[in-house]
Amino acid sequence: MTPLERQGMAAKAAAYVLATAGTEPKNYALEAISSLLLQRQGDWLEANAQDLARAQAQGMRPALLDRLALTPERIAAIASSVRQVEALPDPTGRSTHTETRPNGLVISRRTVPLGVVAIIYEARPNVTVDAAVLCLKSGNACILRGGKEAIRSNQAVVEIMREALEETGLPADCVSLVQDTSRESASELMHLDQYVDVLIPRGGPGLIRTVAKEASVPVIRTGEGVCHVYIDREADPDMGAKILCNAKCSRPSVCNATECVLVHREIAGTFWPKALPLLEKYRTELRCDAPSLALLDGWGGIPAQEEDWDTEYGDCTLAVRMVDSTEEAIRFINAHGTGHSECIVTNNYFTAQRFLNEVDAAAVYVNASTRFTDGGEFGLGAEIGISTQKLHARGPMGLGELTSWKYVVYGEGQIRN
Amino acid sequence: MTPLERQGMAAKAAAYVLATAGTEPKNYALEAISSLLLQRQGDWLEANAQDLARAQAQGMRPALLDRLALTPERIAAIASSVRQVEALPDPTGRSTHTETRPNGLVISRRTVPLGVVAIIYEARPNVTVDAAVLCLKSGNACILRGGKEAIRSNQAVVEIMREALEETGLPADCVSLVQDTSRESASELMHLDQYVDVLIPRGGPGLIRTVAKEASVPVIRTGEGVCHVYIDREADPDMGAKILCNAKCSRPSVCNATECVLVHREIAGTFWPKALPLLEKYRTELRCDAPSLALLDGWGGIPAQEEDWDTEYGDCTLAVRMVDSTEEAIRFINAHGTGHSECIVTNNYFTAQRFLNEVDAAAVYVNASTRFTDGGEFGLGAEIGISTQKLHARGPMGLGELTSWKYVVYGEGQIRN
């Protein structure tokens, strides 16, 4: 048995205990984690300082260093988010579809944890706590495989969480960290079919695609976001400009940021004078198709390449395209979008309905920024990621999406004819 | 572009039309399919006769020949089952979780079709119609890849269904058949990520495992059934014997048949004299662990091998094991079961509840045969398979399990801070 197989086996055993532990012990554990994170923040900060020093020495970019860095304020925010998850309702143990069948069998469908959830992610140490507590609250054991840049920080915080679990009488193995951060360990985790019930990759598009392609365990693809805003012929140009600027520039590194605007030919002349001043504040680079370029040439537009229609920029770059109809916009979005978040700006009721019905994405918007696709904004309380696949979960994944179900059947000796 | 890529692209385009067609056109299409199946049954029977002749010439076993064979009665039953699916409620277009958020956004979660469902299956031509109509009713286009033994039958019936679709104004490409029945075509289908939203393998454990391992498209594993009956110390021996015999022998080839009985040591002496006469009627072969063998030696028991504890026999063979406690039974089931259907026979309330809570399977039973795990028996109306995974769907998959959801968001110009 390899170390990872042993870890998988231990996680599975812990998952069985956790699945039937009930809500109170899980909440006690979350409370203990929150307290111990604050009490022992010195250990976590010290480990993080080691990660930061090494990363700096290796020339990590300032933006990435900032994502890796912990501060007492950040730890306080993380500890408080653990309490928020504690306050959410337990998603397991809910019975639906309860029915007495003609033969007297009483059948109901009961929500249960998935079992063992594995998460492969990159350099943000807050994800370690986020993911672990969402899994715990939903009754799942988790195997965390973070990036090598954050290994010390992750080791320290996982140690704290395991201690808190033991303190409250739950198995420490409900939360464990893959100590080996090589590619091989990630690959082995993707094939740990016997122990892993679902694998959620969190990170850049490269990571997601590799995992989806390579893994034999069930995977939920998250966070691939080539999102669009479509400015309809009957849009309010001011509203369209504000929504587009928010969707593109308010936080361009996240997956619900928009990458491409489609503008109806008949409104382009009135829309762009409203939008350009807003986008210029963020020095937005406009990559335009030929008809848009003719309009925006003097305004810093440059020609788009074919790959621009499928690129998640992650910065203030915007692909710009002119369309002749709502139908063309919908077709383009369904061909080039990643099924994340798509928006139409329009005053026309029927155009809006058509867009909502025909666009194939996790979240479809009329007259609102794509940036709202988020577990907190959608009222799910917290999220472990935003699914861009249709299987199991779509859009923000809250606690409910970390469950499965079982059919519970009460009989009195029934046999089948 | 390969022929299969073209087929995938056509299916995707058809899926977009079907997804927004509404319930009535879908029902008209099902009605037309049912009628045309009867009208044109001559074509279907003729094609089937060709498949049968070839299979016979190649020495196919009688049991398999019977599964391949169509008769006017079987076709009438199939046509009538199409009408039954027509009568079921449309699972799409249902909004849940509707909420007005503090910022005024109105958000709801709406059920939508999955898109393109691919199904790889073996030699039963009735599956072709079953799968197609369940997909149609739930708004999904389907790509069917049946076995080479049934290719003529499948070609004939898919032609009939496509004609019926066109008659009612829906795209024929909502239903299509993979004409090439080579291994390569199956493999290509498993990697058609751009067009296939979910792949459901239906068939033997070998097929299921290969698909789960090889596919890069999302897969739902179905129908792997190593199921157990546990006869508790406090069981009614008569009830236990009847349930076991039904679970094992009433239809041993199906996935909800039981493969292994666990008998509590303290009841073995009273249970077996009740069970043996029932099992003997079916000439059941008993493969026993050492303590059970000591009891059953004179009754035709033979020693079990290690692999017997993980084998889906598909015939009247039964693995037999003695256990000392409910805990041991639960641990054994969670280690050796495939997560399909598991049963306890007991009169003790707390033992029953413990078993229901702790056994990790799609369906858990007290005092009833595992053979009830079935979409019809569970009141789902019809099923496309029985999922043994936890992701997306677990247990019998009805129309509801052939849907995903999208979040529909109505705004008035909201942007995110």
Side-chain angles (χ1 to χ4, degrees):
Chain A
M1 234 185 202
T2 69
L4 196 57
E5 281 173 338
R6 262 198 300 278
Q7 189 174 344
M9 198 177 173
K12 196 81 177 174
Y16 283 132
V17 177
L18 189 60
T20 54
T23 306
E24 279 203 341
K26 293 190 291 188
N27 283 345
Y28 290 147
L30 294 182
E31 224 167 289
I33 287 174
S34 176
S35 304
L36 213 57
L37 281 178
L38 293 174
Q39 264 179 51
R40 299 266 302 274
Q41 58 180 296
D43 298 354
W44 200 14
L45 286 167
E46 201 183 297
N48 186 244
Q50 293 176 22
D51 283 334
L52 282 170
R54 200 184 38 191
Q56 230 160 354
Q58 292 174 350
M60 186 184 267
R61 283 193 291 134
L64 289 181
L65 279 175
D66 182 61
R67 281 166 70 161
L68 177 58
L70 290 168
T71 62
E73 294 69 36
R74 286 183 179 182
I75 292 180
I78 292 169
S80 133
S81 77
V82 177
R83 297 268 177 166
Q84 282 162 24
V85 172
E86 184 197 338
L88 293 173
D90 190 329
T92 65
R94 303 182 175 209
S95 289
T96 56
H97 300 65
T98 305
E99 202 183 339
T100 305
R101 300 293 302 159
N103 60 7
L105 287 179
V106 178
I107 301 183
S108 68
R109 193 160 119 169
R110 182 195 289 179
T111 58
V112 296
L114 288 165
V116 176
V117 177
I119 299 150
I120 298 185
Y121 55 105
E122 292 169 344
R124 296 167 67 166
N126 63 313
V127 173
T128 310
V129 179
D130 273 7
V133 301
L134 288 168
C135 286
L136 285 174
K137 180 80 193 196
S138 50
N140 295 292
C142 64
I143 298 179
L144 302 163
R145 201 277 188 188
K148 64 175 182 304
E149 302 80 2
I151 182 69
R152 294 297 183 87
S153 313
N154 288 338
Q155 284 169 335
V157 74
V158 166
E159 224 20 81
I160 293 169
M161 290 193 284
R162 288 171 62 95
E163 209 177 301
L165 281 162
E166 279 190 330
E167 243 176 41
T168 52
L170 287 174
D173 287 324
C174 291
V175 176
S176 68
L177 183 74
V178 179
Q179 301 290 336
D180 173 359
T181 57
S182 68
R183 265 184 190 280
E184 288 69 34
S185 80
S187 178
E188 192 185 347
L189 190 56
M190 294 178 212
H191 294 93
L192 214 60
D193 293 63
Q194 211 182 337
Y195 304 116
V196 171
D197 292 288
V198 54
L199 171 59
I200 304 176
R202 283 184 60 164
L207 172 70
I208 312 282
R209 271 193 294 261
T210 305
V211 171
K213 203 168 159 185
E214 199 188 320
S216 56
V217 301
V219 169
I220 300 180
R221 297 178 78 130
T222 66
E224 294 166 291
V226 176
C227 308
H228 300 76
V229 171
Y230 166 51
I231 309 293
D232 179 47
R233 188 169 65 88
E234 296 175 64
D236 173 332
D238 277 309
M239 186 189 286
K242 279 179 200 147
I243 287 175
L244 174 61
C245 180
N246 183 263
K248 174 71 260 184
C249 304
S250 59
R251 202 169 162 207
S253 65
V254 294
C255 61
N256 58 22
T258 283
E259 310 300 341
C260 177
V261 63
L262 304 171
V263 183
H264 195 288
R265 187 178 304 273
E266 291 176 34
I267 204 174
T270 48
F271 169 73
W272 281 113
K274 305 285 188 181
L276 285 169
L278 302 186
L279 294 170
E280 270 174 2
K281 278 191 204 154
Y282 295 89
R283 301 166 190 269
T284 309
E285 184 178 311
L286 306 175
R287 304 210 182 159
C288 308
D289 67 343
S292 306
L293 194 61
L295 254 175
L296 298 174
D297 205 2
W299 302 89
I302 59 167
Q305 307 301 314
E306 203 46 42
E307 62 265 26
D308 279 305
W309 312 120
D310 300 284
T311 300
E312 192 172 351
Y313 298 113
D315 60 25
C316 284
T317 305
L318 179 66
V320 176
R321 196 176 173 98
M322 206 177 277
V323 294
D324 285 310
S325 65
T326 302
E327 195 187 337
E328 187 186 335
I330 293 171
R331 257 210 319 263
F332 185 85
I333 289 171
N334 283 342
H336 294 275
T338 52
H340 193 298
S341 300
E342 305 293 352
C343 161
I344 182 173
V345 182
T346 189
N347 294 335
N348 184 301
Y349 171 84
F350 287 102
T351 309
Q353 291 298 333
R354 184 177 179 190
F355 187 90
L356 294 177
N357 289 333
E358 297 185 14
V359 167
D360 187 21
V364 284
Y365 290 85
V366 183
N367 297 332
S369 170
T370 57
R371 290 275 294 103
F372 286 108
T373 304
D374 171 278
E377 294 292 334
F378 277 17
L380 303 182
E383 67 169 45
I384 198 153
I386 295 173
S387 163
T388 50
Q389 67 181 37
K390 293 190 191 170
L391 219 58
H392 186 73
R394 200 177 193 200
M397 294 179 60
L399 290 172
E401 284 68 51
L402 287 170
T403 67
S404 179
W405 64 72
K406 64 161 70 162
Y407 284 93
V408 174
V409 186
Y410 294 93
E412 296 168 301
Q414 283 89 341
I415 59 173
R416 188 164 172 193
N417 296 325
Chain B
M1 237 184 200
T2 68
L4 197 57
E5 282 172 338
R6 263 197 300 278
Q7 190 174 343
M9 197 176 173
K12 195 81 175 175
Y16 282 133
V17 176
L18 189 60
T20 54
T23 306
E24 279 203 341
K26 293 191 290 190
N27 283 345
Y28 289 148
L30 294 182
E31 223 167 290
I33 287 174
S34 177
S35 304
L36 212 58
L37 282 177
L38 294 173
Q39 265 179 51
R40 300 265 303 274
Q41 59 180 295
D43 298 355
W44 200 12
L45 287 167
E46 201 183 297
N48 186 246
Q50 294 177 21
D51 283 333
L52 283 170
R54 201 184 37 191
Q56 231 160 354
Q58 293 173 350
M60 187 184 268
R61 284 191 290 133
L64 290 180
L65 279 174
D66 182 60
R67 281 165 71 160
L68 177 58
L70 290 167
T71 62
E73 293 69 36
R74 286 183 179 182
I75 292 179
I78 292 169
S80 133
S81 76
V82 176
R83 297 268 178 167
Q84 282 163 23
V85 172
E86 184 197 338
L88 293 172
D90 190 329
T92 66
R94 302 183 174 207
S95 289
T96 56
H97 299 63
T98 305
E99 203 184 338
T100 304
R101 301 292 304 159
N103 60 7
L105 286 179
V106 178
I107 301 183
S108 67
R109 194 158 119 168
R110 183 195 289 178
T111 58
V112 296
L114 288 165
V116 175
V117 177
I119 299 150
I120 298 185
Y121 55 105
E122 292 170 344
R124 296 166 67 167
N126 63 312
V127 173
T128 310
V129 179
D130 273 8
V133 301
L134 287 169
C135 286
L136 285 173
K137 179 79 193 198
S138 50
N140 295 292
C142 65
I143 299 179
L144 302 164
R145 201 278 188 188
K148 64 175 183 303
E149 303 80 2
I151 181 70
R152 292 298 183 86
S153 314
N154 287 339
Q155 284 169 335
V157 73
V158 167
E159 222 23 77
I160 292 169
M161 290 193 284
R162 288 171 62 96
E163 208 176 303
L165 281 163
E166 278 189 332
E167 244 176 40
T168 52
L170 287 173
D173 287 323
C174 291
V175 176
S176 68
L177 183 73
V178 179
Q179 301 291 336
D180 172 0
T181 57
S182 68
R183 263 183 192 282
E184 288 68 35
S185 80
S187 178
E188 192 185 347
L189 190 56
M190 294 178 212
H191 294 93
L192 214 60
D193 293 63
Q194 210 183 337
Y195 304 116
V196 172
D197 292 287
V198 53
L199 171 60
I200 305 175
R202 283 185 60 165
L207 171 70
I208 312 281
R209 271 193 294 263
T210 305
V211 171
K213 203 168 159 185
E214 200 188 319
S216 55
V217 301
V219 168
I220 299 180
R221 297 177 79 129
T222 67
E224 294 165 291
V226 177
C227 308
H228 301 76
V229 171
Y230 165 51
I231 308 294
D232 180 47
R233 187 169 66 89
E234 295 175 66
D236 173 333
D238 277 309
M239 187 189 285
K242 279 180 201 146
I243 287 175
L244 175 61
C245 181
N246 183 263
K248 174 71 262 183
C249 305
S250 60
R251 203 169 162 206
S253 65
V254 293
C255 61
N256 57 23
T258 284
E259 310 299 342
C260 177
V261 65
L262 304 172
V263 184
H264 195 287
R265 187 177 305 271
E266 292 176 34
I267 203 173
T270 48
F271 169 73
W272 281 112
K274 306 283 188 182
L276 285 168
L278 302 186
L279 294 170
E280 271 174 3
K281 279 193 205 154
Y282 295 90
R283 303 165 189 270
T284 309
E285 183 179 313
L286 305 176
R287 305 209 181 160
C288 308
D289 66 344
S292 307
L293 195 61
L295 254 174
L296 299 174
D297 205 3
W299 302 89
I302 60 167
Q305 307 301 315
E306 203 46 43
E307 62 265 26
D308 279 305
W309 312 120
D310 300 284
T311 300
E312 192 172 350
Y313 298 112
D315 60 26
C316 283
T317 305
L318 178 67
V320 176
R321 197 175 174 98
M322 206 177 276
V323 293
D324 285 310
S325 65
T326 302
E327 195 188 335
E328 188 187 336
I330 292 171
R331 256 210 318 265
F332 185 85
I333 290 171
N334 284 342
H336 294 274
T338 51
H340 193 297
S341 300
E342 305 294 351
C343 161
I344 182 173
V345 182
T346 188
N347 294 336
N348 184 299
Y349 171 84
F350 287 102
T351 309
Q353 291 298 333
R354 184 176 180 191
F355 187 91
L356 295 178
N357 289 333
E358 297 185 13
V359 167
D360 187 21
V364 285
Y365 290 85
V366 183
N367 297 333
S369 170
T370 57
R371 289 275 294 101
F372 286 109
T373 305
D374 171 278
E377 294 292 334
F378 276 18
L380 304 180
E383 66 170 46
I384 198 152
I386 294 173
S387 163
T388 49
Q389 68 180 38
K390 293 189 190 168
L391 219 58
H392 186 73
R394 201 176 192 201
M397 294 178 60
L399 291 172
E401 284 67 51
L402 287 170
T403 67
S404 180
W405 64 71
K406 63 160 70 161
Y407 284 93
V408 174
V409 186
Y410 293 92
E412 297 168 301
Q414 282 89 342
I415 60 173
R416 188 164 173 193
N417 297 324

